[in-house]
Amino acid sequence: MKCPRCVQRVHSRARECPHCSFSITDVDRVFGQDDVRLRTLTDAAGVLRRKERIALRGRLDQFQQNFPQLFFGIYFGSFKETPSLRQFGFWLLNRGAFEDVDVSRPNEGGILLSVDVGGKSAGITSGYALGPFLSEDATFGALSGAHPYFLEGQWLRASESVLSRITKVLAKQSRRAEREGNELRAHHENAGSSDEGLRGIRERHKGGRKKSEA
């Protein structure tokens, strides 16, 4: 993962950034240190129509069906004194208690799209469990593809664009992991067959030696 402040690479389990000493304590001072109860779709800025909220909730539910260990959250807000969307997203994904997410899906497997409706900008934060599967290039590509919609204030279309691109990336990574898992199992099975064959040769060899000794 990368530090939300200096954007240098940091170990996912590090308590603070070794480069700039950033830690969650820094953003706790800005946003608070208590857990925040919210839903995966939180429109604090009130920019979505009812039909748009229903449609977007459906897309988020579909994401959870596609990826049983993950969840996707979207937060619409208007930020005036926020240090950065990257830092806000880091804080919210750590402090957020998502009411519509089952406890079997920890925040480490969460992806959060934070949208500043005033600045018409957005940022993506992901839990450290997604590190091997969701690269910075992938999230940048998802945001870049939706950038024109954010500028035009088309919040539903922008969110759906990001969701679609992230879903495609994770689906591809999932197929790759499954393929590599199958190859690994096949390798072990072949190795097991070789071991059995070698064991049989050795047993026959032992039997032959016993007969000759008799």
Side-chain angles (χ1 to χ4, degrees):
M1 62 172 286
K2 289 188 176 181
C3 171
R5 183 161 64 191
C6 70
V7 202
Q8 295 295 315
R9 193 163 295 280
V10 181
H11 191 277
S12 60
R13 297 289 186 174
R15 290 185 175 274
E16 67 176 34
C17 174
H19 307 283
C20 69
S21 300
F22 173 86
S23 71
I24 194 170
T25 304
D26 295 300
V27 280
D28 277 346
R29 295 192 187 102
V30 179
F31 305 114
Q33 60 184 5
D34 296 327
D35 289 343
V36 180
R37 300 184 67 84
L38 73 166
R39 301 182 69 81
T40 48
L41 177 58
T42 299
D43 183 14
V47 294
L48 296 176
R49 300 184 182 90
R50 182 174 180 274
K51 288 184 178 180
E52 292 175 325
R53 289 197 299 271
I54 293 173
L56 204 44
R57 286 195 190 105
R59 294 295 299 271
L60 295 176
D61 289 343
Q62 185 62 52
F63 182 90
Q64 290 196 29
Q65 291 178 29
N66 292 340
F67 306 103
Q69 297 175 325
L70 311 177
F71 71 89
F72 198 108
I74 303 176
Y75 183 94
F76 292 97
S78 184
F79 305 96
K80 295 180 180 179
E81 300 179 359
T82 301
S84 75
L85 282 177
R86 184 185 289 269
Q87 292 182 39
F88 173 78
F90 170 80
W91 172 81
L92 189 57
L93 193 57
N94 276 274
R95 296 300 186 202
F98 294 88
E99 298 176 343
D100 52 341
V101 175
D102 189 79
V103 293
S104 63
R105 303 172 194 254
N107 285 19
E108 291 87 345
I111 303 169
L112 178 65
L113 172 64
S114 304
V115 182
D116 180 2
V117 300
K120 295 185 177 180
S121 58
I124 294 177
T125 308
S126 58
Y128 64 78
L130 282 147
F133 310 103
L134 196 58
S135 66
E136 287 282 331
D137 288 342
T139 56
F140 178 78
L143 290 172
S144 297
H147 185 63
Y149 304 130
F150 282 123
L151 289 179
E152 295 171 1
Q154 298 186 43
W155 311 117
L156 173 61
R157 196 167 182 181
S159 302
E160 289 180 333
S161 175
V162 172
L163 256 172
S164 178
R165 286 180 178 244
I166 294 297
T167 297
K168 288 179 180 178
V169 170
L170 292 177
K172 182 178 180 180
Q173 293 285 3
S174 177
R175 289 192 297 269
R176 179 181 178 182
E178 183 178 1
R179 183 171 62 251
E180 290 177 350
N182 290 336
E183 291 174 355
L184 185 61
R185 282 192 293 272
H187 173 74
H188 285 319
E189 289 173 0
N190 291 335
S193 299
S194 299
D195 290 344
E196 290 176 4
L198 181 59
R199 191 178 301 113
I201 292 173
R202 287 175 176 170
E203 290 297 329
R204 289 194 294 274
H205 182 59
K206 287 180 181 179
R209 283 193 298 178
K210 287 179 180 178
K211 288 181 180 179
S212 62
E213 289 171 358

